[in-house]
Amino acid sequence: MSEVKLEDIVSLAKRRGFIYQGSEVYGGLSGTWDYGPLGVSLKRNIMNAWWQTFVDSRDDMYGVDAAILMNPNVWKASGHVDTFTDPLVECSNCKGRFRADHLEGDKCPNCGKTGTFGEARQFNMMFKTNVGPVDDDKSISYLRPETAQGIFINYKNVLDSFYPDLPFGIAQMGKAFRNEISPRDFIFRSREFEQMEIEYFVQPDKWQESFDALLADIHEFLKSLGLPAESIHELEVPDDDRAHYSKRTIDIEYDFPIGREELLGLAYRTDFDLKNIQDNAGKNMEYTIKGTNDKFIPHVIEPSFGVERMIMAVLTSAYREDEQNGEKRIYLALPEHLAPVKYAVSPLLKNKPELVAKAREVYDALKKKHGNVMWDDNGNIGKRYRRQDEIGTPYCVVIDFETLDDDTVTIRDRDTTEQKRIAITDLE
Ligand code: GAP
């Protein structure tokens, strides 16, 4: 387990504008979270890094962005209508409903009574909705509980447009919705969250090598986010615990403040999904090896990342406390490419117009080049440093009277708190 406490992460996230409770002003909506100005940057930086690593920098990956609402047959064929369930029990005393496999003993966590649970029943986690103005059985659709199916239903489109050689992957990131019985642990188990998924299509007898290669790519990516190797664990999921579609799954677990829990999964889905589409939609999903008559339905390896869990892991690994000048300091040692703000620029004194004008010049130039640059002239310089440390800004740039003479500035490093004098031209 991480030594960082969950309440410290939650408190920093709220205080500094990363993550707020969803609909807080109306008392909240359980299992939903809103991203503030810094949270949205951190989230986008993680998602952009993922897209850059797994899609843009590779020749064998294609991106898609499918509609969230899909034909309900997608979810019938995929098995979600019948089997995407968790066991639910109800307390006969307080009527509280709980996930049976999350309970410890037979004591109700809400009212404290024992022996009040009835039989567990299967609860389907998909959010149902109606598409169009008629509210009947024919108009039922679902908010997607995974982005994966939006990829599978576009496999043939991508094949017909790009004629890729096997193996190749299709990637998608975006919202997913699950009506979790008990959302909990901050953003870890939410009802609305984002996924980043790849369906990697392979020849059936070559699945193992792609599985191993993707596993290695996943570890490289986690390292690039600054997650320490000793906090990452592979769990070979036993037969009984695997999803209905999987022949092999490795869960990548992380030492979160709530304990060792699933960060993402890597599953060998065989031809389960494409075969189901072929059988249910009546469309041929076969792949023909170029220049041969060799036809088959490709098998699939699926790396499936949850964005919220990546954010929680990144915040946990970056959270630090130390002492500076006898005072406790909190800082986020975020890797530069994830930090919501790269440079904070300040005039030493905000009531000196010549310093402010020069600082604005430096700020404008950096902002034009990097975008994620913050103007910060609130409070004294010590307070500004503390604030920037807490949001993980790697560099604070201060313009003082010396700057006016020789075009040098002070640049302070977040992690070491060391300050150096450098030429403005060297800031780049
Ligand atoms: N397409 C396969 C799939 O969706 P999953 O294990 O159900 O597999 C993949 O989900 C990942 O999505 C998980 O490893 C986790 O990171 C994330 N995830 C799943 N449910 C979540 C929830 N309720 N809240 C936040 N993230 C969730």
Side-chain angles (χ1 to χ4, degrees):
M1 186 180 315
S2 160
E3 278 166 20
V4 179
K5 292 197 211 71
L6 184 63
E7 59 260 35
D8 290 336
I9 302 276
V10 178
S11 152
L12 184 143
K14 172 153 170 74
R15 190 168 71 243
R16 291 298 178 202
F18 282 87
I19 303 170
Y20 310 114
Q21 192 191 353
S23 315
E24 190 179 10
V25 74
Y26 284 108
L29 179 67
S30 173
T32 65
W33 299 91
D34 293 345
Y35 286 81
L38 299 181
V40 77
S41 296
L42 176 63
K43 184 179 182 183
R44 292 225 171 111
N45 290 344
I46 291 174
M47 293 175 84
N48 288 344
W50 186 88
W51 196 262
Q52 170 63 27
T53 304
F54 287 104
V55 184
D56 285 347
S57 68
R58 297 177 60 133
D59 294 329
D60 57 347
M61 292 285 186
Y62 298 80
V64 294
D65 186 10
I68 288 176
L69 291 172
M70 289 185 262
N71 187 306
N73 288 329
V74 168
W75 305 111
K76 286 181 195 142
S78 68
H80 282 80
V81 171
D82 290 332
T83 60
F84 195 62
T85 55
D86 273 339
L88 175 141
V89 285
E90 187 171 310
C91 168
S92 58
N93 182 50
C94 69
K95 306 292 173 221
R97 290 179 169 192
F98 309 96
R99 209 174 124 170
D101 56 337
H102 283 176
L103 289 173
E104 281 160 22
D106 70 343
K107 188 172 170 191
C108 174
N110 191 37
C111 67
K113 288 236 167 175
T114 51
T116 52
F117 293 130
E119 277 289 291
R121 69 176 170 89
Q122 293 302 318
F123 172 78
N124 194 297
M125 286 189 286
M126 284 199 292
F127 280 101
K128 241 186 219 170
T129 187
N130 291 88
V131 175
V134 184
D135 185 351
D136 65 9
D137 281 358
K138 285 196 211 107
S139 66
I140 286 177
S141 187
Y142 303 91
L143 299 186
R144 66 181 180 203
E146 62 169 15
T147 55
Q149 295 303 322
I151 297 178
F152 286 121
I153 58 166
N154 281 293
Y155 152 81
K156 196 79 173 99
N157 288 333
V158 173
L159 204 61
D160 292 346
S161 307
F162 296 92
Y163 313 105
D165 288 330
L166 284 179
F168 74 93
I170 305 180
Q172 169 161 238
M173 50 192 192
K175 292 270 185 181
F177 304 83
R178 295 184 187 181
N179 198 3
E180 295 282 353
I181 296 170
S182 358
R184 58 181 191 179
D185 298 324
F186 191 36
I187 53 176
F188 183 85
R189 192 174 302 284
S190 315
R191 289 187 166 133
E192 176 175 342
F193 56 98
E194 301 221 31
Q195 289 186 319
M196 307 183 286
E197 298 197 297
I198 296 165
E199 305 307 329
Y200 199 71
F201 300 96
V202 300
Q203 293 196 34
D205 57 343
K206 296 198 172 144
W207 72 270
Q208 184 72 58
E209 61 198 66
S210 292
F211 191 94
D212 294 343
L214 284 165
L215 184 59
D217 296 340
I218 288 169
H219 280 293
E220 268 306 298
F221 178 68
L222 298 180
K223 191 170 158 198
S224 76
L225 301 188
L227 304 189
E230 64 273 17
S231 302
I232 297 167
H233 312 277
E234 285 181 13
L235 174 78
E236 185 79 49
V237 180
D239 291 2
D240 291 351
D241 293 345
R242 277 199 306 268
H244 59 281
Y245 49 72
S246 171
K247 264 219 169 136
R248 184 179 178 200
T249 298
I250 288 184
D251 280 350
I252 304 289
E253 298 187 322
Y254 189 75
D255 292 325
F256 289 102
I258 51 172
R260 184 184 290 189
E261 293 283 353
E262 179 184 335
L263 174 61
L264 64 104
L266 177 67
Y268 169 36
R269 288 181 83 125
T270 66
D271 58 357
F272 177 85
D273 301 271
L274 290 184
K275 197 161 176 310
N276 276 336
I277 294 175
Q278 179 163 292
D279 293 347
N280 286 278
K283 303 266 162 55
N284 186 353
M285 292 289 130
E286 284 174 327
Y287 183 95
T288 309
I289 300 273
K290 281 170 199 157
T292 72
N293 285 326
D294 196 4
K295 280 186 192 184
F296 53 89
I297 295 181
H299 282 209
V300 172
I301 312 295
E302 179 196 64
S304 178
F305 293 71
V307 176
E308 277 63 19
R309 295 192 189 177
M310 298 303 295
I311 293 172
M312 227 167 115
V314 163
L315 286 175
T316 304
S317 75
Y319 186 93
R320 307 269 198 288
E321 288 180 6
D322 66 4
E323 216 181 273
Q324 295 292 332
N325 307 322
E327 273 183 36
K328 176 175 144 184
R329 171 178 85 127
I330 295 171
Y331 68 106
L332 288 183
L334 291 170
E336 253 181 66
H337 70 297
L338 299 186
V341 177
K342 184 167 179 191
Y343 294 102
V345 179
S346 311
L348 181 64
L349 301 168
K350 74 175 189 184
N351 58 357
K352 297 286 174 202
E354 62 278 36
L355 289 187
V356 174
K358 188 69 186 172
R360 277 279 167 201
E361 243 178 60
V362 173
Y363 168 79
D364 288 343
L366 286 175
K367 181 98 182 149
K368 205 166 161 192
K369 178 131 196 251
H370 298 281
N372 55 348
V373 177
M374 189 185 270
W375 176 261
D376 189 356
D377 61 4
N378 265 334
N380 65 35
I381 206 77
K383 285 212 173 104
R384 292 178 210 165
Y385 286 158
R386 293 290 166 274
R387 192 164 46 237
Q388 295 300 329
D389 286 344
E390 274 205 318
I391 64 171
T393 306
Y395 305 111
C396 289
V397 176
V398 177
I399 282 72
D400 55 20
F401 291 106
E402 231 179 299
T403 315
L404 304 179
D405 290 338
D406 61 7
D407 271 341
T408 62
V409 292
T410 304
I411 184 161
R412 173 188 176 270
D413 182 283
R414 171 198 66 202
D415 299 343
T416 62
T417 73
E418 259 171 39
Q419 299 182 23
K420 273 200 291 193
R421 193 113 211 136
I422 63 168
I424 290 174
T425 46
D426 287 343
L427 270 177
E428 300 302 325

